[in-house]
Amino acid sequence: FADMPWTLKDARRRAGMTQEQAAASAGVSRVAWANWEGGRKEPGLSSIRRICAALGLRFDDIIWPGEEPGLARAAEKPPEYRP
């Protein structure tokens, strides 16, 4: 989650929200949000779901920022068998 602080800040700004507005939309305190953006703490899975809903993100957008959806998982799949 090394990129999470940048991802949260960027997504929040694109949504035109302040930290306080984003936090309220996600149902968390502004202090919690500021800690996540500042990289001092990481949100749990339930908080990540609320963050996604508040900012219109997918789970992958936070876990694998900057990658095509599913790209990291696709790389793990074995090649298809072709007779």
Side-chain angles (χ1 to χ4, degrees):
F1 298 147
D3 291 334
M4 188 175 297
W6 182 87
T7 302
L8 291 180
K9 189 174 194 174
D10 183 58
R12 174 182 58 78
R13 286 182 173 174
R14 282 196 230 173
M17 294 182 176
T18 65
Q19 282 186 346
E20 190 168 342
Q21 291 167 328
S25 184
V28 300
S29 71
R30 191 205 57 79
V31 172
W33 192 279
N35 283 333
W36 298 337
E37 274 194 21
R40 292 177 290 281
K41 294 190 177 190
E42 292 180 351
L45 290 177
S46 63
S47 295
I48 290 174
R49 288 188 189 117
R50 291 193 306 261
I51 291 166
C52 289
L55 298 179
L57 299 173
R58 295 172 308 207
F59 193 78
D60 286 0
D61 295 332
I62 291 181
I63 303 304
W64 296 289
E67 295 184 17
E68 292 294 320
L71 184 63
R73 286 178 304 218
E76 296 171 4
K77 291 182 183 176
E80 289 185 36
Y81 173 74
R82 294 186 183 162

